[in-house]
Amino acid sequence: MRDPLRFWFDFSSPYSYIANEWVDAVAARHGRTVQRHAVLLGATFQAAELKPPTAFPMKGPYSLRDFARSARFAGVPYTPPPVFPVPTQNAARVFWWLHDTQGVDAAARWATAGLRAMFVRAVPLHEPAALKGLAAEEGLDADAAEAAWNDPVWKMRLKQANDEAIAAGVFGAPFFIVDGEPFWGNDRRPQIERWLESGPF
Amino acid sequence: MRDPLRFWFDFSSPYSYIANEWVDAVAARHGRTVQRHAVLLGATFQAAELKPPTAFPMKGPYSLRDFARSARFAGVPYTPPPVFPVPTQNAARVFWWLHDTQGVDAAARWATAGLRAMFVRAVPLHEPAALKGLAAEEGLDADAAEAAWNDPVWKMRLKQANDEAIAAGVFGAPFFIVDGEPFWGNDRRPQIERWLESGPF
């Protein structure tokens, strides 16, 4: 088995949602696994002095249109979130809690459940009740999930993940590193596929 | 013949150079022509409160790497410009001078010549001598080209092009509008191809 494909995402990122839908199949087709990293774009944006695309005149309305069109292009359902962006630190802390206590597969299932809840069903993941509801739907102990996101241990674990991402050069999401090569954006899928198919180009 | 594909570019934009290499063939394959618009990203960035990707920590070094990799991915030669970005208003004024006095084909040839000079041969297009040299190479009257870029008429024509671009929602380059649908970036090529192939999606 070759090196895993490393994939950074934020639960509030529409392009991360789209990428999360194809990344496992693309990696598997080329004998790779996916190593997911939940991060907060707020942290990477601060390090890179960036803002969300929707924060700008002209680029903002275009981005909202492109989110939906890019989802249709990828063939995945998409519902524009009623509030955007929303703070997703609690969902991300649950990711790392699952990652470290139940393993990468449990964390990956949570990533997919969270991103789909946000961008298909318009579930307000920043609201504790909605997040607990999602945890219960996913067969988790909702009270334990809430305890985890309030626990300094998992707060620190997320901060560590943000710091590691920044150290690795991650300034946005989705962000991928394959064999040391960085790829930013859902729209780098064709380049990633070529890299996985035939190596460096 | 269906509506032309409208294509905005800046002579200092590496992704515009790459897009300029494929846009005519892609359009022609679907019975379209290309309507080029030379603009200054400085003007659209100001309107949209944006900066070049290379102006940011982390995103800057990634962008330089991605410029070159995206060119290799597209199969076009690329030489990183020694100075980046450079002011390209003179090259853009020559574009509009040719456009309005010799027609769209002459302007398109100049666009391609200028973008290739910048990104394949590292010609410093912001230097008048280099720009006159390029004009001569292209069979133009170099003194007339210089007179044009110093002429208030062509200065105003470029300003008008910038204003029209901003009014059309153009905030970066390359930027495309097909049947009223906006696409930003060289990496929207697959979406543009699908649109041209089978219409709105």
Side-chain angles (χ1 to χ4, degrees):
Chain A
M1 185 64 88
R2 317 211 22 216
D3 281 353
L5 187 160
R6 304 179 71 192
F7 168 45
W8 284 262
F9 70 97
D10 182 313
F11 281 98
S12 75
S13 155
Y15 296 126
S16 292
Y17 155 68
I18 299 170
N20 186 69
E21 293 291 320
W22 56 257
V23 68
D24 293 292
V26 165
R29 205 174 298 143
H30 299 95
R32 309 270 190 146
T33 56
V34 175
Q35 192 175 93
R36 281 176 173 76
H37 305 258
V39 289
L40 296 184
L41 282 176
T44 64
F45 281 167
Q46 187 170 31
E49 301 172 13
L50 297 167
K51 292 190 291 184
T54 49
F56 298 92
M58 301 174 72
K59 191 178 184 178
Y62 172 85
S63 296
L64 295 177
R65 184 180 190 127
D66 190 65
F67 295 161
R69 188 180 62 205
S70 294
R72 292 194 298 274
F73 184 73
V76 299
Y78 180 78
T79 303
V83 185
F84 179 84
V86 298
T88 53
Q89 66 271 27
N90 290 344
R93 289 170 189 154
V94 171
F95 173 91
W96 288 110
W97 168 62
L98 291 170
H99 182 276
D100 292 2
T101 62
Q102 298 190 25
V104 294
D105 291 344
R109 282 193 298 275
W110 175 251
T112 298
L115 288 163
R116 288 181 181 173
M118 183 82 95
F119 294 108
V120 182
R121 297 188 287 134
V123 176
L125 288 194
H126 58 297
E127 294 178 7
L131 196 56
K132 286 183 77 172
L134 180 66
E137 274 177 42
E138 290 300 304
L140 304 175
D141 179 332
D143 290 330
E146 183 178 34
W149 81 58
N150 285 317
D151 187 330
V153 168
W154 305 111
K155 291 183 180 182
M156 187 51 68
R157 182 68 177 86
L158 174 58
K159 188 182 178 311
Q160 180 195 333
N162 292 336
D163 291 345
E164 285 172 356
I166 292 163
V170 174
F171 57 84
F175 204 100
F176 311 85
I177 296 185
V178 188
D179 307 331
E181 183 78 7
F183 297 91
W184 170 52
N186 174 62
D187 42 26
R188 285 297 171 277
R189 175 178 174 172
Q191 293 196 18
I192 292 169
E193 290 190 309
R194 183 181 295 183
W195 185 284
L196 292 172
E197 181 68 32
S198 49
F201 59 86
Chain B
M1 184 66 89
R2 316 211 22 217
D3 280 353
L5 187 159
R6 304 179 71 192
F7 167 46
W8 284 262
F9 70 97
D10 182 314
F11 281 98
S12 75
S13 156
Y15 296 126
S16 291
Y17 155 68
I18 299 169
N20 185 69
E21 293 292 319
W22 56 255
V23 69
D24 294 292
V26 165
R29 204 175 299 142
H30 300 96
R32 309 270 191 148
T33 55
V34 176
Q35 193 175 92
R36 281 176 172 76
H37 305 259
V39 289
L40 297 184
L41 282 176
T44 64
F45 281 168
Q46 187 170 32
E49 301 173 11
L50 297 167
K51 292 190 291 184
T54 50
F56 298 91
M58 302 173 71
K59 191 178 184 178
Y62 171 85
S63 296
L64 295 176
R65 184 181 192 126
D66 191 64
F67 294 161
R69 188 180 62 205
S70 294
R72 291 194 299 274
F73 184 72
V76 300
Y78 180 79
T79 303
V83 185
F84 180 83
V86 298
T88 52
Q89 66 272 27
N90 290 344
R93 289 170 189 154
V94 171
F95 172 91
W96 287 110
W97 168 63
L98 290 170
H99 181 276
D100 291 1
T101 62
Q102 297 191 24
V104 294
D105 291 343
R109 282 193 299 274
W110 176 251
T112 298
L115 288 163
R116 289 182 180 172
M118 183 82 95
F119 294 108
V120 182
R121 296 188 288 134
V123 176
L125 288 195
H126 57 296
E127 294 178 7
L131 195 58
K132 286 183 77 171
L134 180 67
E137 274 177 44
E138 291 301 304
L140 304 175
D141 179 332
D143 290 329
E146 183 178 35
W149 81 59
N150 285 316
D151 187 330
V153 168
W154 305 110
K155 291 182 180 182
M156 187 51 67
R157 182 68 176 89
L158 173 58
K159 188 181 178 311
Q160 179 194 335
N162 292 335
D163 291 344
E164 286 172 356
I166 292 164
V170 174
F171 57 85
F175 203 101
F176 311 86
I177 295 185
V178 188
D179 306 331
E181 183 77 8
F183 297 91
W184 169 53
N186 175 61
D187 41 27
R188 284 297 171 279
R189 174 177 174 172
Q191 293 196 18
I192 291 168
E193 290 189 311
R194 183 181 296 182
W195 185 285
L196 292 172
E197 181 68 31
S198 48
F201 60 85

